[in-house]
Structure formats: C-alpha cells, structure tokens
Amino acid sequence: MGDMTNSDFYSKNQRNESSHGGEFGCTMEELRSLMELRGTEAVVKIKETYGDTEAICRRLKTSPVEGLPGTAPDLEKRKQIFGQNFIPPKKPKTFLQLVWEALQDVTLIILEIAAIISLGLSFYHPPGESNEGCATAQGGAEDEGEAEAGWIEGAAILLSVICVVLVTAFNDWSKEKQFRGLQSRIEQEQKFTVVRAGQVVQIPVAEIVVGDIAQIKYGDLLPADGLFIQGNDLKIDESSLTGESDQVRKSVDKDPMLLSGTHVMEGSGRMVVTAVGVNSQTGIIFTLLGAGGEEEEKKDKKGKMQDGSADSSQSKAKQQDGAAAMEMQPLKSAEGGDADDKKKANMHKKEKSVLQGKLTKLAVQIGKAGLVMSAITVIILVLYFTVDTFVVNKKPWLTECTPVYVQYFVKFFIIGVTVLVVAVPEGLPLAVTISLAYSVKKMMKDNNLVRHLDACETMGNATAICSDKTGTLTTNRMTVVQAYVGDVHYKEIPDPSSINAKTMELLVNAIAINSAYTTKILPPEKEGALPRQVGNKTECGLLGFVLDLKQDYEPVRSQMPEEKLYKVYTFNSVRKSMSTVIKMPDESFRMYSKGASEIVLKKCCKILSGAGEPRVFRPRDRDEMVKKVIEPMACDGLRTICVAYRDFPSSPEPDWDNENDILSELTCICVVGIEDPVRPEVPEAIRKCQRAGITVRMVTGDNINTARAIAIKCGIIHPGEDFLCLEGKEFNRRIRNEKGEIEQERIDKIWPKLRVLARSSPTDKHTLVKGIIDSTHTEQRQVVAVTGDGTNDGPALKKADVGFAMGIAGTDVAKEASDIILTDDNFSSIVKAVMWGRNVYDSISKFLQFQLTVNVVAVIVAFTGACITQDSPLKAVQMLWVNLIMDTFASLALATEPPTETLLLRKPYGRNKPLISRTMMKNILGHAVYQLTLIFTLLFVGEKMFQIDSGRNAPLHSPPSEHYTIIFNTFVMMQLFNEINARKIHGERNVFDGIFRNPIFCTIVLGTFAIQIVIVQFGGKPFSCSPLQLDQWMWCIFIGLGELVWGQVIATIPTSRLKFLKEAGRLTQKEEIPEEELNEDVEEIDHAERELRRGQILWFRGLNRIQTQIEVVNTFKSGASFQGALRRQSSVTSQSQDVASLSSPSRVSLSNALSSPTSLPPAAAGHPRREGVP
C-alpha cells in the first residue's frame, strides 16, 4: 500500500512538471539529481549548469534576502510543480484486516472448530438415534423437541467468538486511530523559520515550498533539501543519511548541499529550498522503504503462518506494541531512512519494557497450566464415558450408534476447550493496551506528549531524575539584575547617566552585534504583560539590559547587517563563549566576545575603568574580582556573563583559524548577573518526587555556585544534608583511573550522594546517566529519567530509561531522541507522568487480581464438575460470557481508574518486584476459597436448599435446569462484587474509595448486571439458563454481596504470616535480557549500544555467580581456611571488570566449592540458591 501511494504521488508530479517546466528556470528532475551529488562534484555541477547559487535563486524566482513574495497563487503553483513537503504515510490497516488478525488467536480457532463440529453433528440424525440401546449411559431419554435445539449451542459459541473478535478488532482500530491523530499533532507542531516578503515568519514544516529561503540555526532538523547561501561556522551531522559520525562543515564554495533529516550541530545561516517531500533525500529513502516494507510484511506473514500458533495471544500483544512503537515514530524521523529500516527489523527485539516482560512470562505460565488442566479434563471425561458404557454396562459398539458417541466426545471436547478458554487470560494484552492508551490520552491534558507507549509505564518505576536547570526548573525568562561596569558593582540596573558614554557605546555594540540576529525582544501581546523574548534566552536577557539602559539595539543592527559580519565563532559546549569579528571603517578589525565569566575573564588582560579607558588587568586583580563580584553574584543564584572586546590591526590580517591566539588579550567591558527565577510550582513538585522515593539531580552547564543556589531554592538539596555538588572537571577526575578510563566502581562511590553537577558537558550527562543505570550498587537496578532540550542532550536522552524533551525550548534533535515531550517545559509535568506510570502498573495489577480469581475458580469448577458429574456446571457459552465480562469489560473498568496523589506516597516498585505481590496472592486465593466453597455447596446440595430438581447427570440434550442456572448466576454475581474488591491491591479497607470518580467503572458494573438479568431470564437454551424466581435471585445477590464482607475478613489476615505464598510474574535478573539480544546482527545496534549491552549482560552474569558464591560461602562457615580462599576469590571477581577473569575463575571456585571434602549440609546441597536471590 505504501508503495502505491508514493508512486501515484510521483507520476502525478511528473505529469504536472512536464506541462509547467517552462515557468521556472529548472525542473524538479534537475534539482533532484543535483541534490544527489555531494561536496566538490556538486560545486562543479552548479558552476557548469547554473553559474552560482544566486543564479539558482533567480531561476526559482526567489530573492536570497527578501525570500518568496508569499502570495497564495505563487505558493500553490510551486506546490503543483515541485510537490508538497509531505511524505504520505502508509495506509492504516482496515477494520477487516484487524478482524482477521484477531481471528488468529489459537483458543478462538479451537473454539470455532469445536462449534462447527457440534453444529454439523446436531443436523445429522442417524438411523440409530431411535435405538434405545445407544445413549442410556447418561440415563433419561430426551424429548423430541430438544434434539431439534441441539444446534443452538454450536451457534451460540460461534456468536460469542464473533463478539470477542469484534471487540478486539475495534480496540486495535481505535488505538491505531489515536496514534494517527497523535502523529499529525506532532507534525503540526513542527514549525520552521523562513523569510517571506522580507519578513521572518515561522510556518509549519508541511507548508515549505521549493524556492523558500529558510533560516537555519544550531539544533535544527532540516525539513527539506536545499543549497547553503550564506552563514557562518555551519556544521552538520549527516550521520542519519550517510552513517558518518563526523560533522560536515558547510560553505558556499566547498560543500553547499544541505539535506533533509540532517541536524545542524553548530552555527547558523540561510538556505534556498530545492527539493521537498518525496523528492527530498529522506523522502526518496522513505519511498523505497514503503515498497520494501510491504514485501517484508508479506514474508513475515508467511513465516508466521508456518511457525504455528504456539502463543498467539502474546504474539498479538507484541504486534500491537510493535505497531504502536512504529506509529509513534514521527514521519520526519530524525533517524532518516536507513535507521528506520533497521528500526523495523529491530522492533521485535527492542528490550521489552518491564511490564511487558513480566506479563509475557505470567501469560505463558497461566497458559501452560490451562492447557494441562483442559487436557486432563478431556481425558478423564472420555475415559469415564468409555469405561462406563463399554466395560461396566458391557454394551457392544454398534455402527448405527457411532454418531451418538461422537456427539458425546464432541461435547467432552467442548468442555475441555471451555476450561482452556477460561484459563487463558486473553484480557491481558487488552488490559495493557487499554490502560496505556487511556493514560496516553489523559497525559496529553497534563502536558505530556508520549511518543513511546511503554515510556509511560517505565516512568512509574523511575528512581532517579536528572534534570536540566534552565527552562525546566526555572522559567527561562532571563533578566539582568546586577552588573559590574567601570569598577562599580551595581546591585540593581544602573542609571544610564552613571555610565561613561564610551563604555556605553561599546557595551551596546558588543551586545547587539555579538548575538544571533534572530534573537529579539518584541512588545508584549497583551497590555501589562512582560515583553516577549524570541530566540536564545540568555541573549534576550542581555538585549533586555540594553533596553533597560534606555538604549536601542535595532539601529546598531541595521547599520551592521548580518551579511557584513566578517567572522563568527558561534557558541558551543566546548568554547562556552561566542565571538563576532567586524571590519571597522578604517579597515582594522574588532572582535566582540561574550561568555561564561570565569572563562572569558581568564582571557582578559585589560579592563575598562570608570573613565572608559582600558587599564591593565592582572591575574591577582582577576582573583579579587572573582571573590568580590562573581562569587557573590553566583551565590544569589545568578548566571554571570562577561562581555569583552579586542581590536586587531588591518595588516597583517590575523590568522582567524587559530582560535587560541585570537581569543586572548581581551579587554573586559562588563560582567552582568542574569537571573532566571525558579518556577513557583517546582519546589512542591520536587518535594513530591522525594517523598515518592525518587532522587532529583540537577545537571547544568552553569557555574557551581549558581547551580547550588538554585538547587537550594528548588529543594533539591537541604542545608545540613550529606550531599555532593561537583563540577564537570572534578566529576571526571574522580570517575577515571590513571589511564583516563571511566570505572564503574568509581562512579558508584559518587552518584548516590551527587545532587548537583555543574559546568557539565553533554558527555558528562551521558556518563552520569549510564553510570547510574549500569550501577550494581543498589539491589534494584536504577530506572533513570532525564530531561533535555539541547541537541547535545540527545545521547543522554536516548540512554535514559525515559527521556523527556522540552516542547517549547527543545531542539528537534532532542525531541527525536526522547520518549515523552513536555509540552509546557515544566518540571511538575514530570511528576504527573510518574503518577500516570504508577497508575498503569497498578491498573494492570488490579485487573490481574480480578482475572486470576475468576480463572482459578472457573477452571477448578469446570474441572471437578466434569470429573464428578460428567458435565461442566458452567456451559461453554456461559464460560464465554464470563470470559467476556472478566476480560474485556473488567479490563476497561479497572484499567481506566484515574490516578490519585496517594500513588506518590509509596516507593517505586523496581524491576524485580513481582507483578502479583503476596497481598494480591492472598486476595486471589482467599476469594477463590470463598467462591469455590459456595459453588460446590450449591452444586451438591443446592437442589435440597432450594427444593428444585437436581441438574446433575442430565442426558445429552436435556433442557437447562434451574439448579445449574442458580450456580451460573451466583458465580457471575460473585465476580461482579469481587470486581469492586479488586479496585484496591495494597490491602486497603475501603474498596469504595473514589468509585464515583470513575464513571466507566460504575457504568460497566451496572451494565454487566443488567445484561446478566436478561441472559438468565430470557437466555433460554443458547445460554443453558432457565428463568429464576425473585427469591432465588435474592439469594444469588446475597451470596455475591458476601464477597465484600469476605474481602474485609481477608484484609485482616496479616500478609507477613503467609510466607508460603509465592509471588508470580517476577523478572529475575537473568531473564531481563532475552537470549536473542546476545547474538544480534552487528549493524542493528550501533557499536556503543552493543558494548553497553554486553557490559550489562556480563555484569548480570558475574553478579549471579558472585551471589551463588556468597551462598556457598555461607554454607561453608565451618571450613575456615576454605572460606578464606573463597572470600578472596569472590572479591577478586567482584572487583575485576575484565570479561575473561569474570567468566573463568568464578566457575572454578564454585566447582571447587561443591566438590570440596567439607560435608555439605543437606539444605545447601539441594538448594545452592535460596528463594529471593535471583
């Protein structure tokens, strides 16, 4: 399908273009082939064919300075001839395809087959039917009318199968629709800056047309192909297209090619757009992918059919999640084409989220148990029937009786399948999907745009958050509040008259010229609001300072337009400063510089005095200034920026590429303190995090004193606590060994106490995140969330378990690497994400607790009933109804519970906490005991209690009995009331707490109740029900209500006493990494990832071995010398991170241990690992 749409798109464009080719000086084809060239070839080609880039602009009827006129007809014409900047997505699966997929479920297939056989047999009336000798094994002859109704059961089973399929398909379909919606939202939010009619405007990416002049700057993701016209220091990361990780320097005369999907890593400039949408480089790759993806899918399907339906409920869940993850990748994926291809291949290998891992494991365990039970049921029934008929009653096998016997066997088979259907929790994938989809939808309202579904649930387990300071914890409205100018430290904005005129002129020029011209301060939108800051916020603060000094920066800029700037050293994380060189009227050069004060002051050798004259500035003056000016500013939580300049002679012209010489001997103009106030809601949010067991750490590029002051204001650190605040340099010194390699053990010494990391580079952030994740210092693996907004935060965002990107301040690169986008850039939204994440986890647990109770009871009832009375008290169709309310409706009801603040009062669960805790296990078994007792009582003495006919041992097609109907009804009532019990999983008393906050829950419980009344009173033959009297109904409801009372009884039993209860669905450390990940293809994960993965695996292995060794050590406390040896051995193993030494000696020591002559206590011999040690 994908290839279809794209090729249509092409042919249409080609047709149009042939007719309009003459309107512009070059055709789409020419431009497209031009964009396929690289570097020097491209320059040559442009020279030969067009002359220069200016000429191309003329041919495309656009002006490099003014841009397009931006009139509607012109834009329309361009879209027609050159195409739109839009890559058509693959068509979504149709509803019928989804239905077909839902039908692939094994249990459903078995049921369909059983139903069809049963239908076929009911229409076949063999001659032997009249022969009384055939079916007397079951007693009582049957009415003629009943034989006619034999088909009803088969039909009813088919009907309920259809119901289940439709519900599943509809869920998938709505989920797909939601993602498409989300997708388009993400796309509409992507805006890009272009020049139209001389005005700089931001337009949606899809609106860009060929001929547009786009302004590009640090951090942009290029939305279309183009040619570089003018700019400075532009470096591009083209790894998404070429795979080369080196940054490519772009210049008009050497390499002017800018390709869509690549990232601007440094600098700024302008480009003329030459190819958009399907004709851009990324578009071409996507088109190929569309075609490739289809074939892949066909292959996949074939493969799937062959490798059988071993576990389709899971593969279904995986497909859904795979689809989800795929859909969530925005179309303009930064990974570009190649990566995307690999992504598809890698989708099913992506490390499962914690929850999925646990669920998959649980589902497999339950499925196996169900299969065994159902097989035993069928075997027992068949054996009992054959023995009873042919051995005890010594009946011969009559040929004319065969169909009757077959009918019995089919009935037994259906009972067996029924047991299986009830045992397998198909509702699990459904509950997860509903719960996640619901949360994602609601999280949008809380300013969290979730890009990857499982991030939502991982966030609930987060144990650490590494947050940026600027814009996340603070408002990102920079204002200058203190200044040091002309030997005076002003604690507020100085009066303009108090500053020397010469100094003032230099200051205004230095700030206005040496900042991105895209940065401006615009008048406020509403009366009384603050002026709007556009562009880089720090520069906005400085420009604001100029305005506060009653000066204006606009005239300076118009006098020295961007094109006239001689050389620009843009800001990057290495330089930590920005400098601009201009040519003075007398042909000499002047360079203005600004940057972090401690860095720029080191390069100053003069400073402007009060009279505006430069005087010598010695190192000891500098130290005094740091003490008297900079530290006090920083301790008030201000960011200090130094503004300086330097003059160069016109000849000889300096060597501009020798940065170290150029950026020295500066003259300091002033030092300003910029305040970025803490957001008012942040301290409260951080307090909530700390209460919820989440450590908040601040990672910032700012000065350490500033960072510490802000951290205290936010409540990240409290005076008097034992914590560390480090600078990046110091952090690196502490974590590296003599050779300069990072050592995990050294990181482990630091991170537990580290709260603030200042003056940190992006690599420090990545190192810290990786160090915390790989740490084995705590018993639970840490789950780390990271916030980031800059291009350089990409690696850390990718490495973290959950990456939050800033929706407003964030660059495209950061958004692309993230899992969740904070649409309001606010830290308190992260707390909301934690709440939703924990809520998802709890919802699934609630659902499981309910589901498993039903499963256990239904399976045992069907099994024992079948073995004792040869007929399951709960019929197949009834079971399917129970299955429907348990699975589909309950998952809806319990998965949509809204989160409460109480979720933030407990600690995170962690990776190896089982899904089903002891408390839940207690609840499940406790309620199962209650339900089974009552059902068996009703089954065996019910007819006496209600004075009705017994329903046991009824013949094959006998009418439904009141007796069995009461059992069915009671069973459903108990489930309904138990659903209310299931709302609480931590053993709380009040199960009705907040029940009216969830209208879906109330609707579903009442709705199920209503349908149950209809089924019992009017269900008749298909549901094997006969109508009940009012008093019988009252009894059923009364027994159901008993569930609530019994729930209180169970809650009274202390869980700590019940040590024998095992937990289920727990991920041990070994299983966390599926085997297939070890032998993955080399290209699929980049090298670093693979190394990390390998490191993790080896760590886990080593750890497991060390743990086993420690066990053995404990066992051998008697043999002292031996113990010493073992201790030494284990310490060697734990210290060494070297792979080889990890894998061999630990084995040796263990085998020695086990074969050593010391007598082994029996417990140790049998159990080298105790329960609880993974």
Side-chain angles (χ1 to χ4, degrees):
M1 282 163 299
D3 48 354
M4 273 301 298
T5 45
N6 285 349
S7 49
D8 294 350
F9 214 77
Y10 265 138
S11 47
K12 208 161 73 210
N13 283 339
Q14 246 93 45
R15 276 201 303 281
N16 288 345
E17 169 225 321
S18 53
S19 55
H20 292 281
E23 306 239 349
F24 294 100
C26 37
T27 61
M28 185 178 76
E29 279 303 303
E30 289 169 12
L31 288 173
R32 217 176 109 182
S33 55
L34 173 66
M35 291 319 290
E36 278 162 13
L37 302 173
R38 300 278 176 275
T40 40
E41 319 178 341
V43 179
V44 173
K45 170 87 175 159
I46 293 173
K47 271 221 172 71
E48 284 174 0
T49 322
Y50 303 102
D52 58 358
T53 39
E54 298 268 323
I56 295 184
C57 291
R58 280 200 297 280
R59 289 198 182 194
L60 289 173
K61 302 189 177 159
T62 178
S63 140
V65 184
E66 298 283 311
L68 291 178
T71 55
D74 178 52
L75 296 178
E76 227 7 81
K77 200 162 71 187
R78 287 171 191 272
K79 277 185 191 167
Q80 275 199 327
I81 296 181
F82 297 108
Q84 295 181 333
N85 196 19
F86 168 72
I87 298 170
K90 277 170 73 170
K91 281 192 191 130
K93 288 192 170 132
T94 57
F95 189 67
L96 287 175
Q97 279 171 309
L98 292 170
V99 167
W100 175 243
E101 270 173 25
L103 276 171
Q104 313 288 313
D105 194 355
V106 191
T107 36
L108 290 181
I109 292 175
I110 298 177
L111 268 182
E112 287 153 26
I113 295 171
I116 290 166
I117 295 177
S118 151
L119 266 177
L121 285 173
S122 65
F123 289 129
Y124 173 59
H125 295 302
E129 187 108 22
S130 52
N131 185 333
E132 280 303 301
C134 289
T136 47
Q138 290 281 20
E142 46 176 288
D143 307 346
E144 274 308 298
E146 285 311 315
E148 309 295 280
W151 61 273
I152 293 184
E153 183 165 36
I157 294 181
L158 280 181
L159 197 77
S160 34
V161 165
I162 291 171
C163 267
V164 173
V165 166
L166 286 178
V167 169
T168 321
F170 178 74
N171 263 309
D172 287 354
W173 179 77
S174 59
K175 191 178 75 183
E176 180 110 339
K177 212 173 93 191
Q178 259 179 0
F179 283 128
R180 299 249 158 201
L182 198 62
Q183 186 70 27
S184 55
R185 255 203 73 155
I186 293 180
E187 276 172 15
Q188 283 154 12
E189 280 179 4
Q190 273 188 311
K191 290 226 172 25
F192 210 78
T193 319
V194 297
V195 181
R196 285 195 180 165
Q199 292 295 313
V200 177
V201 285
Q202 284 212 327
I203 57 170
V205 167
E207 295 290 309
I208 292 177
V209 293
V210 171
D212 257 325
I213 303 295
Q215 287 201 344
I216 50 180
K217 58 178 190 315
Y218 159 79
D220 282 342
L221 173 73
L222 298 183
D225 291 355
L227 295 172
F228 187 43
I229 318 177
Q230 165 267 319
N232 30 50
D233 237 16
L234 191 69
K235 283 191 187 156
I236 305 268
D237 171 14
E238 293 189 349
S239 57
S240 55
L241 284 178
T242 59
E244 298 290 325
S245 56
D246 297 342
Q247 296 176 8
V248 185
R249 209 186 186 112
K250 297 289 180 186
S251 61
V252 182
D253 44 2
K254 292 206 182 70
D255 182 2
M257 303 316 237
L258 300 174
L259 307 173
S260 59
T262 57
H263 297 133
V264 183
M265 299 313 273
E266 236 183 79
S268 59
R270 293 179 170 196
M271 72 170 191
V272 55
V273 177
T274 54
V276 292
V278 257
N279 304 308
S280 67
Q281 293 302 304
T282 313
I284 293 170
I285 292 173
F286 263 107
T287 314
L288 297 174
L289 266 188
E294 293 296 309
E295 280 148 37
E296 283 297 299
E297 251 171 49
K298 284 182 198 130
K299 275 187 217 141
D300 273 5
K301 275 206 179 117
K302 282 196 194 105
K304 264 195 194 110
M305 298 290 184
Q306 287 153 13
D307 52 47
S309 25
D311 189 0
S312 81
S313 67
Q314 252 152 286
S315 68
K316 206 164 77 190
K318 269 189 214 136
Q319 280 166 11
Q320 290 173 4
D321 285 309
M326 210 38 233
E327 288 301 314
M328 296 303 292
Q329 282 298 334
L331 263 181
K332 306 188 176 51
S333 161
E335 258 64 43
D338 321 335
D340 241 73
D341 213 358
K342 281 168 201 162
K343 239 188 227 145
K344 278 191 188 153
N346 220 338
M347 207 34 98
H348 50 278
K349 283 191 188 155
K350 185 171 174 268
E351 201 177 324
K352 286 204 202 85
S353 74
V354 189
L355 189 63
Q356 272 173 316
K358 291 180 181 178
L359 279 177
T360 312
K361 214 177 146 204
L362 196 71
V364 174
Q365 289 168 346
I366 297 174
K368 283 181 187 157
L371 254 173
V372 172
M373 288 290 270
S374 64
I376 297 175
T377 315
V378 174
I379 293 168
I380 290 181
L381 284 172
V382 172
L383 281 177
Y384 191 97
F385 176 75
T386 39
V387 170
D388 195 49
T389 312
F390 302 122
V391 182
V392 182
N393 297 347
K394 300 195 170 52
K395 291 250 170 61
W397 180 294
L398 301 170
T399 40
E400 60 266 31
C401 287
T402 310
V404 183
Y405 296 144
V406 172
Q407 245 177 330
Y408 271 111
F409 290 143
V410 168
K411 181 178 152 191
F412 298 150
F413 179 62
I414 288 183
I415 291 173
V417 172
T418 313
V419 174
L420 179 67
V421 169
V422 175
V424 175
E426 306 83 74
L428 268 184
L430 193 66
V432 181
T433 313
I434 291 179
S435 177
L436 285 173
Y438 172 77
S439 306
V440 167
K441 211 169 176 176
K442 286 273 187 267
M443 280 167 82
M444 291 284 298
K445 291 200 179 74
D446 285 339
N447 303 312
N448 282 306
L449 182 80
V450 181
R451 289 183 64 233
H452 300 131
L453 261 192
D454 48 5
C456 167
E457 153 258 320
T458 315
M459 203 47 220
N461 292 327
T463 54
I465 298 176
C466 296
S467 169
D468 270 4
K469 175 180 78 74
T470 313
T472 317
L473 300 173
T474 57
T475 53
N476 205 4
R477 260 202 81 85
M478 308 274 187
T479 37
V480 173
V481 287
Q482 296 188 18
Y484 178 86
V485 192
D487 298 339
V488 189
H489 183 177
Y490 297 95
K491 290 288 171 134
E492 56 248 2
I493 299 287
D495 184 71
S497 57
S498 65
I499 297 177
N500 177 293
K502 255 200 231 155
T503 311
M504 183 68 100
E505 190 194 354
L506 268 171
L507 178 61
V508 174
N509 277 327
I511 291 176
I513 293 173
N514 185 28
S515 58
Y517 279 36
T518 45
T519 305
K520 309 185 182 59
I521 291 187
L522 302 178
E525 285 172 339
K526 293 198 274 302
E527 273 297 299
L530 292 165
R532 280 182 304 160
Q533 297 189 339
V534 183
N536 179 319
K537 299 296 188 220
T538 313
E539 292 180 352
C540 286
L542 290 168
L543 291 174
F545 179 51
V546 171
L547 298 178
D548 289 339
L549 291 173
K550 310 280 185 290
Q551 305 291 320
D552 190 2
Y553 62 86
E554 278 298 342
V556 181
R557 280 187 174 179
S558 46
Q559 198 182 339
M560 175 62 69
E562 208 171 353
E563 294 78 53
K564 282 199 187 160
L565 301 181
Y566 196 78
K567 171 94 181 132
V568 179
Y569 299 94
T570 47
F571 182 89
N572 63 21
S573 51
V574 183
R575 287 192 190 119
K576 290 243 188 269
S577 67
M578 168 178 178
S579 315
T580 305
V581 181
I582 57 171
K583 219 169 186 171
M584 302 299 275
D586 62 356
E587 293 296 308
S588 66
F589 299 99
R590 174 171 286 174
M591 176 178 77
Y592 292 115
S593 219
K594 68 164 190 290
S597 55
E598 59 262 49
I599 290 171
V600 178
L601 278 177
K602 279 200 184 104
K603 298 176 176 164
C604 290
C605 63
K606 295 184 178 155
I607 185 165
L608 291 184
S609 64
E613 294 304 322
R615 63 178 168 83
V616 179
F617 184 61
R618 293 184 297 273
R620 66 157 190 270
D621 301 333
R622 186 173 67 226
D623 297 341
E624 189 179 346
M625 182 152 168
V626 168
K627 260 204 208 68
K628 295 260 176 70
V629 181
I630 292 173
E631 282 182 5
M633 279 188 188
C635 292
D636 292 341
L638 305 183
R639 195 180 210 172
T640 55
I641 300 275
C642 174
V643 182
Y645 77 102
R646 176 180 177 187
D647 287 327
F648 296 97
S650 53
S651 65
E653 188 171 326
D655 173 12
W656 298 116
D657 290 335
N658 183 349
E659 247 179 76
N660 290 342
D661 288 359
I662 300 284
L663 285 181
S664 60
E665 301 182 21
L666 306 176
T667 306
C668 168
I669 304 173
C670 73
V671 173
V672 293
I674 297 185
E675 182 184 44
D676 186 5
V678 172
R679 287 175 181 260
E681 61 278 8
V682 163
E684 173 60 18
I686 288 184
R687 214 176 57 244
K688 280 183 190 160
C689 281
Q690 289 164 340
R691 207 171 49 212
I694 301 169
T695 318
V696 183
R697 295 185 172 83
M698 182 161 104
V699 183
T700 173
D702 261 353
N703 171 320
I704 188 151
N705 297 327
T706 313
R708 191 183 288 124
I710 299 271
I712 292 172
K713 281 185 194 163
C714 293
I716 291 178
I717 52 183
H718 303 286
E721 274 183 359
D722 179 20
F723 57 80
L724 281 174
C725 292
L726 293 181
E727 283 202 339
K729 275 196 188 120
E730 172 66 6
F731 172 71
N732 270 311
R733 197 179 59 70
R734 289 199 191 185
I735 61 172
R736 293 175 192 274
N737 58 15
E738 298 70 55
K739 294 185 198 146
E741 295 159 348
I742 296 173
E743 282 189 7
Q744 183 65 43
E745 281 171 37
R746 293 175 180 236
I747 297 184
D748 285 350
K749 289 201 186 91
I750 295 180
W751 72 257
K753 286 188 182 170
L754 183 70
R755 290 292 175 275
V756 175
L757 184 57
R759 280 274 170 254
S760 67
S761 67
T763 30
D764 294 339
K765 194 173 188 176
H766 182 258
T767 310
L768 176 67
V769 173
K770 178 179 173 312
I772 298 180
I773 289 180
D774 293 351
S775 169
T776 46
H777 183 82
T778 46
E779 70 237 53
Q780 298 282 11
R781 151 157 147 37
Q782 295 276 316
V783 177
V784 185
V786 171
T787 68
D789 52 6
T791 307
N792 43 24
D793 292 328
L797 287 171
K798 267 210 163 67
K799 177 68 194 148
D801 296 286
V802 182
F804 286 92
M806 301 297 138
I808 305 168
T811 57
D812 299 340
V813 185
K815 289 182 190 170
E816 204 47 62
S818 69
D819 301 296
I820 297 180
I821 296 175
L822 295 179
T823 48
D824 63 344
D825 286 16
N826 195 335
F827 187 83
S828 58
S829 305
I830 298 180
V831 181
K832 295 258 179 40
V834 173
M835 228 157 74
W836 276 108
R838 293 188 170 190
N839 191 49
V840 167
Y841 206 92
D842 280 7
S843 297
I844 304 297
S845 295
K846 288 173 192 174
F847 171 70
L848 271 175
Q849 177 176 307
F850 173 68
Q851 163 100 42
L852 292 181
T853 313
V854 186
N855 279 6
V856 170
V857 175
V859 169
I860 294 179
V861 167
F863 177 67
T864 38
C867 299
I868 300 170
T869 66
Q870 272 71 70
D871 183 11
S872 162
L874 298 170
K875 299 289 182 289
V877 179
Q878 294 176 353
M879 287 283 209
L880 281 167
W881 161 239
V882 169
N883 221 11
L884 199 73
I885 66 166
M886 299 183 324
D887 282 4
T888 316
F889 295 149
S891 61
L892 255 177
L894 291 167
T896 51
E897 289 272 309
T900 55
E901 288 279 332
T902 46
L903 286 171
L904 293 176
L905 297 177
R906 62 172 177 75
K907 298 279 175 272
Y909 278 148
R911 279 196 166 236
N912 14 7
K913 160 120 176 24
L915 258 185
I916 298 174
S917 60
R918 283 228 170 92
T919 317
M920 286 167 63
M921 210 58 168
K922 175 184 77 175
N923 289 345
I924 292 171
L925 295 179
H927 287 295
V929 167
Y930 173 83
Q931 297 188 6
L932 286 171
T933 318
L934 280 162
I935 285 180
F936 284 135
T937 314
L938 286 176
L939 182 58
F940 295 114
V941 292
E943 72 270 27
K944 300 192 187 64
M945 289 158 55
F946 289 108
Q947 281 101 37
I948 48 177
D949 299 338
S950 162
R952 294 195 299 282
N953 297 336
L956 189 58
H957 288 306
S958 54
S961 63
E962 283 188 344
H963 182 190
Y964 274 16
T965 308
I966 289 179
I967 294 179
F968 166 57
N969 200 19
T970 310
F971 181 67
V972 172
M973 287 301 126
M974 290 198 285
Q975 299 329 323
L976 271 184
F977 286 104
N978 194 26
E979 197 165 337
I980 299 175
N981 275 332
R983 291 183 67 247
K984 298 285 177 241
I985 48 174
H986 298 298
E988 295 94 329
R989 287 259 176 221
N990 179 7
V991 287
F992 291 103
D993 178 35
I995 195 165
F996 296 115
R997 284 225 322 277
N998 186 359
I1000 302 182
F1001 185 85
C1002 306
T1003 324
I1004 284 179
V1005 172
L1006 296 172
T1008 317
F1009 185 63
I1011 301 174
Q1012 178 64 17
I1013 297 178
V1014 174
I1015 287 179
V1016 171
Q1017 297 306 96
F1018 310 105
K1021 186 78 191 157
F1023 279 98
S1024 324
C1025 288
S1026 75
L1028 299 181
Q1029 321 292 295
L1030 187 63
D1031 60 325
Q1032 292 165 335
W1033 263 101
M1034 284 301 139
W1035 271 107
C1036 292
I1037 294 175
F1038 175 71
I1039 295 175
L1041 275 167
E1043 268 288 0
L1044 293 174
V1045 183
W1046 183 248
Q1048 295 301 320
V1049 176
I1050 295 180
T1052 331
I1053 307 170
T1055 316
S1056 49
R1057 290 286 171 79
L1058 306 171
K1059 284 278 186 286
F1060 59 88
L1061 283 185
K1062 290 233 344 187
E1063 300 134 326
R1066 139 187 230 145
L1067 274 185
T1068 52
Q1069 300 246 283
K1070 271 231 175 87
E1071 274 140 356
E1072 220 173 288
I1073 297 175
E1075 267 308 292
E1076 59 198 23
E1077 272 182 14
L1078 307 192
N1079 45 33
E1080 244 175 310
D1081 287 0
V1082 185
E1083 335 55 51
E1084 294 204 334
I1085 297 185
D1086 66 334
H1087 198 62
E1089 275 282 309
R1090 235 174 60 250
E1091 284 305 313
L1092 296 177
R1093 242 343 123 65
R1094 227 179 71 211
Q1096 269 177 345
I1097 295 163
L1098 288 165
W1099 256 106
F1100 285 138
R1101 280 197 200 147
L1103 259 188
N1104 279 343
R1105 288 192 188 130
I1106 293 166
Q1107 276 166 335
T1108 320
Q1109 273 165 238
I1110 293 168
E1111 297 276 322
V1112 179
V1113 175
N1114 294 342
T1115 322
F1116 287 111
K1117 279 285 194 253
S1118 44
S1121 59
F1122 178 74
Q1123 191 183 330
L1126 241 179
R1127 264 214 200 112
R1128 271 198 303 284
Q1129 185 67 55
S1130 98
S1131 67
V1132 168
T1133 339
S1134 62
Q1135 278 160 15
S1136 146
Q1137 266 194 317
D1138 187 351
V1139 179
S1141 71
L1142 228 183
S1143 49
S1144 42
S1146 45
R1147 269 196 200 120
V1148 179
S1149 67
L1150 247 184
S1151 48
N1152 291 351
L1154 292 171
S1155 58
S1156 99
T1158 328
S1159 62
L1160 264 176
H1167 271 291
R1169 306 179 162 209
R1170 279 198 322 277
E1171 164 64 21
V1173 177

